[in-house]
Amino acid sequence: MAHDQAQARSAVDRFFKISERGSTVWTEVRGGLVTFFTMSYIVVLNPLILGSVPDGTGQFLGGGTTGGDQAAIAAATALVAGVMSILMGVVANFPLALAAGLGLNAVVAFSVAALPGMTWADAMGIVVLEGIVILILVVTGFREAVFKAVPRELKIAISVGIGLFITFIGVYDAGFVRIPASLSTPTELGMGGSLGAWPLFVFAFGVLLAAVLMVRKVRGGILIAIVASTVLAVVIEAVGQIGKRTDDNPSGWSLNVPALPDSVVALPDFSLIGQFSLFGSIEKIGLLAVVLLVFTLLIADFFDTMGTMVAIGGEAGLLDEKGNPPRTKQILIVDSIAASAGGMGSVSSNTAYVESASGVGDGARTGLAAITTGVAFLLTTFLSPLVEVVPHEAATPALVIVGFLMVVQVTGIDWKNLEVAIPAFLTMVLMPFAYSITVGIGAGVISFVLLKLAVGKVRQIHPLLWVAAALFLVYFLMGPIRTAVGI
């Protein structure tokens, strides 16, 4: 039996190159769980977004005129995320998990499905079409070629920018920084500049505990911090009965109230799977409008994943000398399939999650971590009550710590070379400031091309960067363009 187990471990090790990448099976499983806990909020948040608005006919996702079917959306969200994360691990052997893309789901809900005459099935059909187009771009080599045309310095800036971005996501989702009621400043510390709330204490505790464990080189420090913070949150909620954060209760918990559930297991509802109409939108809003909507989703998907996989690869030490991760094409193929799979599952486009960096920060280096995350998502279709115990304040400290780990790569940029330094700076700061990875990459590419052109170094501009810059210009001007064509 021991000999058979050793052989099994050896086969897993060889397939995923675990020892070759300086990891262990347990480290990969642990890292995958860290990633899951950091991004599991999507199972709760995606139904809140997709189920909150009616389509162009007045129907909510899942049927009805008063609200979406939250349970069915949650189950489908977890199912598609689980399957696609496992596929990423098996096909690309990369520690990158996927789920319904935040931002993309809002575009689908508020800008696509809400168009007059559009149904949710039509809107999800547009998502499927977008995924098919991206897959064609990958198979033909165009998407990978554009990615490799981006200069190494900009790739570093993308990683750093994403580090700043996920740090901002962490502190904002936890309520550590908020939009002030007075609107006198864009954001402020806590409530009125004060941290006088127990959930904020839990967040600070989680960040400091994760930092201490990291400095002391404790394995699994990030996962320990998430679990410890959740336990502390449950105790505080049991004693203080703080409740959920609302306008009337600003000192409450974000997203989930950390109370032990009445039950641990719930049967999933997969009725939304397959509820899409591939070409129904053309009849409702016309071919030109559909093309523009597909293009809007495509640009965001196209470049977000590029930035994310560079950031994850850089944190894991898996990039080559040109800043490219291993098996780039396979990563992009799975990501493209995930876009269509999200539409087919009625949960919006699925994409690579930058929160995967939390698992990498805890030691994950291979696709086994992504498979672990995927299995956890599949279990979530039955264990959703248990996932809802973890509040943002307990999970988001991981994003802050990992954000720090990603920002240290900034030393790889030559800040004295202004032709590269300025585009790199714009890339880094606009990701958190505009709350968009795509905007940051677009600003970096356009400014890089413009500055090289201004100093007469046209030959240093890769031909595909001209194409990318032109596409980004169209993307940034999409509002006026859509208005001009009456969408």
Side-chain angles (χ1 to χ4, degrees), residues 282-297:
I282 297 177
E283 299 177 6
K284 308 294 176 54
I285 60 176
L287 180 60
L288 178 59
V290 169
V291 170
L292 290 176
L293 290 174
V294 168
F295 177 78
T296 301
L297 294 173

Side-chain angles (χ1 to χ4, degrees), residues 115-116 284-286 288-289 292-293 478-487:
L115 290 173
K284 308 294 176 54
I285 60 176
L288 178 59
L292 290 176
L293 290 174
M478 185 55 67
I481 291 173
R482 291 177 62 182
T483 300
V485 298
I487 301 178

Side-chain angles (χ1 to χ4, degrees), residues 42-57:
I42 192 61
V43 178
V44 178
L45 193 55
N46 200 42
L48 293 179
I49 294 174
L50 294 180
S52 64
V53 293
D55 61 21
T57 67

